[in-house]
PDB file of all heavy atoms in Angstrom:
ATOM      1  N   LYS F 204      80.586 137.062 113.988  1.00 95.00           N
ATOM      2  CA  LYS F 204      80.179 136.600 112.672  1.00 95.00           C
ATOM      3  C   LYS F 204      80.348 135.095 112.627  1.00 95.00           C
ATOM      4  O   LYS F 204      81.366 134.543 113.011  1.00 95.00           O
ATOM      5  CB  LYS F 204      81.003 137.249 111.568  1.00 95.00           C
ATOM      6  CG  LYS F 204      80.589 136.871 110.170  1.00 95.00           C
ATOM      7  CD  LYS F 204      81.313 137.711 109.120  1.00 95.00           C
ATOM      8  CE  LYS F 204      82.796 137.451 109.111  1.00 95.00           C
ATOM      9  NZ  LYS F 204      83.476 138.158 107.995  1.00 95.00           N
ATOM     10  N   LYS F 205      79.291 134.408 112.206  1.00 96.00           N
ATOM     11  CA  LYS F 205      79.312 132.967 112.168  1.00 96.00           C
ATOM     12  C   LYS F 205      80.219 132.448 111.071  1.00 96.00           C
ATOM     13  O   LYS F 205      80.257 132.972 109.963  1.00 96.00           O
ATOM     14  CB  LYS F 205      77.876 132.453 111.936  1.00 96.00           C
ATOM     15  CG  LYS F 205      77.748 130.920 112.020  1.00 96.00           C
ATOM     16  CD  LYS F 205      76.310 130.516 111.829  1.00 96.00           C
ATOM     17  CE  LYS F 205      76.161 128.996 111.905  1.00 96.00           C
ATOM     18  NZ  LYS F 205      74.723 128.598 111.693  1.00 96.00           N
ATOM     19  N   ALA F 206      80.988 131.406 111.408  1.00 96.00           N
ATOM     20  CA  ALA F 206      81.807 130.743 110.388  1.00 96.00           C
ATOM     21  C   ALA F 206      80.927 129.949 109.459  1.00 96.00           C
ATOM     22  O   ALA F 206      79.963 129.320 109.884  1.00 96.00           O
ATOM     23  CB  ALA F 206      82.815 129.852 111.075  1.00 96.00           C
ATOM     24  N   ILE F 207      81.241 130.017 108.176  1.00 96.00           N
ATOM     25  CA  ILE F 207      80.454 129.319 107.179  1.00 96.00           C
ATOM     26  C   ILE F 207      81.331 128.277 106.444  1.00 96.00           C
ATOM     27  O   ILE F 207      82.409 128.669 105.967  1.00 96.00           O
ATOM     28  CB  ILE F 207      79.817 130.291 106.166  1.00 96.00           C
ATOM     29  CG1 ILE F 207      78.926 131.297 106.892  1.00 96.00           C
ATOM     30  CG2 ILE F 207      79.018 129.555 105.105  1.00 96.00           C
ATOM     31  CD1 ILE F 207      78.347 132.374 105.984  1.00 96.00           C
ATOM     32  N   ASN F 208      80.879 127.053 106.404  1.00 96.00           N
ATOM     33  CA  ASN F 208      81.624 126.034 105.711  1.00 96.00           C
ATOM     34  C   ASN F 208      81.691 126.269 104.200  1.00 96.00           C
ATOM     35  O   ASN F 208      80.787 126.850 103.606  1.00 96.00           O
ATOM     36  CB  ASN F 208      80.986 124.654 105.975  1.00 96.00           C
ATOM     37  CG  ASN F 208      81.195 124.148 107.371  1.00 96.00           C
ATOM     38  OD1 ASN F 208      82.192 124.505 108.032  1.00 96.00           O
ATOM     39  ND2 ASN F 208      80.278 123.338 107.859  1.00 96.00           N
ATOM     40  N   ALA F 209      82.752 125.768 103.647  1.00 96.00           N
ATOM     41  CA  ALA F 209      82.820 125.732 102.178  1.00 96.00           C
ATOM     42  C   ALA F 209      81.810 124.747 101.689  1.00 96.00           C
ATOM     43  O   ALA F 209      81.551 123.729 102.342  1.00 96.00           O
ATOM     44  CB  ALA F 209      84.229 125.372 101.730  1.00 96.00           C
ATOM     45  N   GLU F 210      81.204 125.014 100.543  1.00 96.00           N
ATOM     46  CA  GLU F 210      80.225 124.086  99.997  1.00 96.00           C
ATOM     47  C   GLU F 210      80.668 123.649  98.582  1.00 96.00           C
ATOM     48  O   GLU F 210      81.188 124.440  97.825  1.00 96.00           O
ATOM     49  CB  GLU F 210      78.836 124.753  99.889  1.00 96.00           C
ATOM     50  CG  GLU F 210      78.164 124.936 101.214  1.00 96.00           C
ATOM     51  CD  GLU F 210      76.729 125.396 101.057  1.00 96.00           C
ATOM     52  OE1 GLU F 210      76.284 125.614  99.909  1.00 96.00           O
ATOM     53  OE2 GLU F 210      76.043 125.570 102.104  1.00 96.00           O
ATOM     54  N   SER F 221      81.655 126.866  96.783  1.00 96.00           N
ATOM     55  CA  SER F 221      81.448 128.147  97.457  1.00 96.00           C
ATOM     56  C   SER F 221      82.483 128.207  98.569  1.00 96.00           C
ATOM     57  O   SER F 221      82.520 127.378  99.476  1.00 96.00           O
ATOM     58  CB  SER F 221      80.053 128.232  98.041  1.00 96.00           C
ATOM     59  OG  SER F 221      79.058 128.128  97.032  1.00 96.00           O
ATOM     60  N   PRO F 222      83.408 129.216  98.492  1.00 96.00           N
ATOM     61  CA  PRO F 222      84.481 129.291  99.509  1.00 96.00           C
ATOM     62  C   PRO F 222      83.961 129.457 100.936  1.00 96.00           C
ATOM     63  O   PRO F 222      82.852 129.953 101.149  1.00 96.00           O
ATOM     64  CB  PRO F 222      85.246 130.525  99.090  1.00 96.00           C
ATOM     65  CG  PRO F 222      84.866 130.799  97.680  1.00 96.00           C
ATOM     66  CD  PRO F 222      83.456 130.305  97.534  1.00 96.00           C
ATOM     67  N   HIS F 223      84.748 128.995 101.864  1.00 96.00           N
ATOM     68  CA  HIS F 223      84.360 129.140 103.251  1.00 96.00           C
ATOM     69  C   HIS F 223      84.478 130.573 103.743  1.00 96.00           C
ATOM     70  O   HIS F 223      85.181 131.398 103.104  1.00 96.00           O
ATOM     71  CB  HIS F 223      85.252 128.235 104.161  1.00 96.00           C
ATOM     72  CG  HIS F 223      86.643 128.711 104.345  1.00 96.00           C
ATOM     73  ND1 HIS F 223      87.677 128.336 103.532  1.00 96.00           N
ATOM     74  CD2 HIS F 223      87.179 129.582 105.266  1.00 96.00           C
ATOM     75  CE1 HIS F 223      88.795 128.918 103.928  1.00 96.00           C
ATOM     76  NE2 HIS F 223      88.508 129.686 104.982  1.00 96.00           N
ATOM     77  N   VAL F 224      83.824 130.884 104.824  1.00 96.00           N
ATOM     78  CA  VAL F 224      83.908 132.232 105.450  1.00 96.00           C
ATOM     79  C   VAL F 224      84.408 132.040 106.876  1.00 96.00           C
ATOM     80  O   VAL F 224      83.837 131.260 107.641  1.00 96.00           O
ATOM     81  CB  VAL F 224      82.558 132.926 105.436  1.00 96.00           C
ATOM     82  CG1 VAL F 224      82.646 134.255 106.187  1.00 96.00           C
ATOM     83  CG2 VAL F 224      82.046 133.139 104.006  1.00 96.00           C
ATOM     84  N   VAL F 225      85.508 132.736 107.199  1.00 95.00           N
ATOM     85  CA  VAL F 225      86.046 132.644 108.540  1.00 95.00           C
ATOM     86  C   VAL F 225      85.167 133.465 109.495  1.00 95.00           C
ATOM     87  O   VAL F 225      84.817 134.620 109.207  1.00 95.00           O
ATOM     88  CB  VAL F 225      87.478 133.203 108.582  1.00 95.00           C
ATOM     89  CG1 VAL F 225      88.028 133.226 110.019  1.00 95.00           C
ATOM     90  CG2 VAL F 225      88.407 132.360 107.712  1.00 95.00           C
ATOM     91  N   GLY F 226      84.776 132.857 110.588  1.00 96.00           N
ATOM     92  CA  GLY F 226      83.952 133.560 111.576  1.00 96.00           C
ATOM     93  C   GLY F 226      84.821 134.293 112.550  1.00 96.00           C
ATOM     94  O   GLY F 226      86.063 134.140 112.573  1.00 96.00           O
ATOM     95  N   ARG F 227      84.198 135.105 113.345  1.00 95.00           N
ATOM     96  CA  ARG F 227      84.937 135.783 114.420  1.00 95.00           C
ATOM     97  C   ARG F 227      84.020 136.013 115.618  1.00 95.00           C
ATOM     98  O   ARG F 227      82.814 136.109 115.466  1.00 95.00           O
ATOM     99  CB  ARG F 227      85.497 137.109 113.911  1.00 95.00           C
ATOM    100  CG  ARG F 227      84.468 138.115 113.453  1.00 95.00           C
ATOM    101  CD  ARG F 227      85.114 139.369 112.897  1.00 95.00           C
ATOM    102  NE  ARG F 227      84.118 140.359 112.512  1.00 95.00           N
ATOM    103  CZ  ARG F 227      84.409 141.513 111.947  1.00 95.00           C
ATOM    104  NH1 ARG F 227      85.688 141.789 111.653  1.00 95.00           N
ATOM    105  NH2 ARG F 227      83.446 142.366 111.644  1.00 95.00           N
ATOM    106  N   LEU F 255      88.622 136.782 118.257  1.00 96.00           N
ATOM    107  CA  LEU F 255      89.141 135.463 117.863  1.00 96.00           C
ATOM    108  C   LEU F 255      88.551 135.055 116.509  1.00 96.00           C
ATOM    109  O   LEU F 255      87.350 135.235 116.252  1.00 96.00           O
ATOM    110  CB  LEU F 255      88.732 134.405 118.914  1.00 96.00           C
ATOM    111  CG  LEU F 255      89.211 134.694 120.340  1.00 96.00           C
ATOM    112  CD1 LEU F 255      88.667 133.593 121.287  1.00 96.00           C
ATOM    113  CD2 LEU F 255      90.702 134.802 120.445  1.00 96.00           C
ATOM    114  N   GLU F 256      89.369 134.527 115.674  1.00 95.00           N
ATOM    115  CA  GLU F 256      88.899 133.989 114.393  1.00 95.00           C
ATOM    116  C   GLU F 256      88.446 132.575 114.542  1.00 95.00           C
ATOM    117  O   GLU F 256      89.070 131.753 115.246  1.00 95.00           O
ATOM    118  CB  GLU F 256      89.992 134.074 113.342  1.00 95.00           C
ATOM    119  CG  GLU F 256      90.266 135.497 112.838  1.00 95.00           C
ATOM    120  CD  GLU F 256      91.129 135.510 111.598  1.00 95.00           C
ATOM    121  OE1 GLU F 256      91.701 134.461 111.264  1.00 95.00           O
ATOM    122  OE2 GLU F 256      91.216 136.578 110.951  1.00 95.00           O
ATOM    123  N   ILE F 257      87.312 132.261 113.925  1.00 96.00           N
ATOM    124  CA  ILE F 257      86.750 130.903 114.009  1.00 96.00           C
ATOM    125  C   ILE F 257      86.828 130.271 112.617  1.00 96.00           C
ATOM    126  O   ILE F 257      86.186 130.710 111.695  1.00 96.00           O
ATOM    127  CB  ILE F 257      85.274 130.922 114.472  1.00 96.00           C
ATOM    128  CG1 ILE F 257      85.122 131.717 115.761  1.00 96.00           C
ATOM    129  CG2 ILE F 257      84.756 129.504 114.650  1.00 96.00           C
ATOM    130  CD1 ILE F 257      85.898 131.163 116.927  1.00 96.00           C
ATOM    131  N   THR F 258      87.667 129.239 112.534  1.00 95.00           N
ATOM    132  CA  THR F 258      87.810 128.519 111.242  1.00 95.00           C
ATOM    133  C   THR F 258      86.671 127.517 111.131  1.00 95.00           C
ATOM    134  O   THR F 258      86.430 126.758 112.049  1.00 95.00           O
ATOM    135  CB  THR F 258      89.145 127.793 111.158  1.00 95.00           C
ATOM    136  OG1 THR F 258      90.221 128.744 111.344  1.00 95.00           O
ATOM    137  CG2 THR F 258      89.310 127.105 109.839  1.00 95.00           C
ATOM    138  N   PRO F 259      85.938 127.509 110.030  1.00 95.00           N
ATOM    139  CA  PRO F 259      84.818 126.569 109.901  1.00 95.00           C
ATOM    140  C   PRO F 259      85.305 125.131 109.812  1.00 95.00           C
ATOM    141  O   PRO F 259      86.498 124.873 109.588  1.00 95.00           O
ATOM    142  CB  PRO F 259      84.154 127.005 108.576  1.00 95.00           C
ATOM    143  CG  PRO F 259      85.242 127.697 107.826  1.00 95.00           C
ATOM    144  CD  PRO F 259      86.096 128.375 108.848  1.00 95.00           C
ATOM    145  N   ASP F 260      84.413 124.226 110.029  1.00 94.00           N
ATOM    146  CA  ASP F 260      84.753 122.780 109.995  1.00 94.00           C
ATOM    147  C   ASP F 260      85.237 122.342 108.628  1.00 94.00           C
ATOM    148  O   ASP F 260      86.067 121.463 108.499  1.00 94.00           O
ATOM    149  CB  ASP F 260      83.555 121.949 110.431  1.00 94.00           C
ATOM    150  CG  ASP F 260      83.157 122.205 111.893  1.00 94.00           C
ATOM    151  OD1 ASP F 260      84.046 122.557 112.684  1.00 94.00           O
ATOM    152  OD2 ASP F 260      81.950 122.079 112.201  1.00 94.00           O
ATOM    153  N   VAL F 261      84.649 122.951 107.605  1.00 95.00           N
ATOM    154  CA  VAL F 261      84.997 122.583 106.217  1.00 95.00           C
ATOM    155  C   VAL F 261      85.562 123.842 105.514  1.00 95.00           C
ATOM    156  O   VAL F 261      84.818 124.800 105.315  1.00 95.00           O
ATOM    157  CB  VAL F 261      83.792 122.045 105.447  1.00 95.00           C
ATOM    158  CG1 VAL F 261      84.208 121.671 104.033  1.00 95.00           C
ATOM    159  CG2 VAL F 261      83.155 120.855 106.181  1.00 95.00           C
ATOM    160  N   THR F 262      86.827 123.805 105.188  1.00 96.00           N
ATOM    161  CA  THR F 262      87.447 124.948 104.495  1.00 96.00           C
ATOM    162  C   THR F 262      87.526 124.670 103.006  1.00 96.00           C
ATOM    163  O   THR F 262      87.351 123.527 102.543  1.00 96.00           O
ATOM    164  CB  THR F 262      88.862 125.201 105.017  1.00 96.00           C
ATOM    165  OG1 THR F 262      89.711 124.067 104.708  1.00 96.00           O
ATOM    166  CG2 THR F 262      88.850 125.404 106.536  1.00 96.00           C
ATOM    167  N   THR F 263      87.773 125.710 102.241  1.00 96.00           N
ATOM    168  CA  THR F 263      87.904 125.565 100.809  1.00 96.00           C
ATOM    169  C   THR F 263      88.991 124.595 100.440  1.00 96.00           C
ATOM    170  O   THR F 263      88.860 123.796  99.482  1.00 96.00           O
ATOM    171  CB  THR F 263      88.186 126.953 100.164  1.00 96.00           C
ATOM    172  OG1 THR F 263      87.194 127.895 100.620  1.00 96.00           O
ATOM    173  CG2 THR F 263      88.173 126.874  98.641  1.00 96.00           C
ATOM    174  N   GLU F 264      90.083 124.611 101.215  1.00 95.00           N
ATOM    175  CA  GLU F 264      91.209 123.737 100.934  1.00 95.00           C
ATOM    176  C   GLU F 264      90.842 122.240 101.081  1.00 95.00           C
ATOM    177  O   GLU F 264      91.452 121.384 100.453  1.00 95.00           O
ATOM    178  CB  GLU F 264      92.389 124.056 101.850  1.00 95.00           C
ATOM    179  CG  GLU F 264      93.031 125.407 101.625  1.00 95.00           C
ATOM    180  CD  GLU F 264      92.198 126.570 102.115  1.00 95.00           C
ATOM    181  OE1 GLU F 264      91.329 126.367 102.988  1.00 95.00           O
ATOM    182  OE2 GLU F 264      92.408 127.692 101.622  1.00 95.00           O
ATOM    183  N   MET F 265      89.806 121.971 101.902  1.00 95.00           N
ATOM    184  CA  MET F 265      89.403 120.610 102.133  1.00 95.00           C
ATOM    185  C   MET F 265      88.634 120.009 100.938  1.00 95.00           C
ATOM    186  O   MET F 265      88.522 118.800 100.820  1.00 95.00           O
ATOM    187  CB  MET F 265      88.560 120.501 103.396  1.00 95.00           C
ATOM    188  CG  MET F 265      89.283 120.770 104.681  1.00 95.00           C
ATOM    189  SD  MET F 265      88.175 120.687 106.102  1.00 95.00           S
ATOM    190  CE  MET F 265      89.290 121.038 107.459  1.00 95.00           C
ATOM    191  N   VAL F 266      88.040 120.888 100.145  1.00 95.00           N
ATOM    192  CA  VAL F 266      87.188 120.393  99.070  1.00 95.00           C
ATOM    193  C   VAL F 266      87.667 120.735  97.673  1.00 95.00           C
ATOM    194  O   VAL F 266      87.106 120.206  96.691  1.00 95.00           O
ATOM    195  CB  VAL F 266      85.732 120.925  99.270  1.00 95.00           C
ATOM    196  CG1 VAL F 266      85.156 120.442 100.573  1.00 95.00           C
ATOM    197  CG2 VAL F 266      85.694 122.449  99.172  1.00 95.00           C
ATOM    198  N   LEU F 302      79.190 115.175 102.238  1.00 97.00           N
ATOM    199  CA  LEU F 302      80.637 115.311 102.234  1.00 97.00           C
ATOM    200  C   LEU F 302      81.261 114.508 103.363  1.00 97.00           C
ATOM    201  O   LEU F 302      80.787 114.588 104.504  1.00 97.00           O
ATOM    202  CB  LEU F 302      81.052 116.758 102.378  1.00 97.00           C
ATOM    203  CG  LEU F 302      82.564 117.082 102.335  1.00 97.00           C
ATOM    204  CD1 LEU F 302      83.096 116.840 100.924  1.00 97.00           C
ATOM    205  CD2 LEU F 302      82.826 118.515 102.785  1.00 97.00           C
ATOM    206  N   LEU F 304      84.818 114.022 105.239  1.00 96.00           N
ATOM    207  CA  LEU F 304      86.201 114.422 105.429  1.00 96.00           C
ATOM    208  C   LEU F 304      87.074 113.216 105.666  1.00 96.00           C
ATOM    209  O   LEU F 304      86.595 112.121 105.920  1.00 96.00           O
ATOM    210  CB  LEU F 304      86.270 115.390 106.642  1.00 96.00           C
ATOM    211  CG  LEU F 304      85.413 116.652 106.547  1.00 96.00           C
ATOM    212  CD1 LEU F 304      85.557 117.487 107.807  1.00 96.00           C
ATOM    213  CD2 LEU F 304      85.757 117.480 105.292  1.00 96.00           C
TER     214      LEU F 304
END
Side-chain angles (χ1 to χ4, degrees):
K204 183 172 64 174
K205 186 178 180 181
I207 301 176
N208 287 333
E210 288 189 358
S221 299
H223 74 268
V224 176
V225 176
R227 61 184 183 184
L255 304 178
E256 287 193 347
I257 308 298
T258 303
D260 295 330
V261 181
T262 65
T263 307
E264 293 74 21
M265 292 178 180
V266 299
L302 181 70
L304 300 179

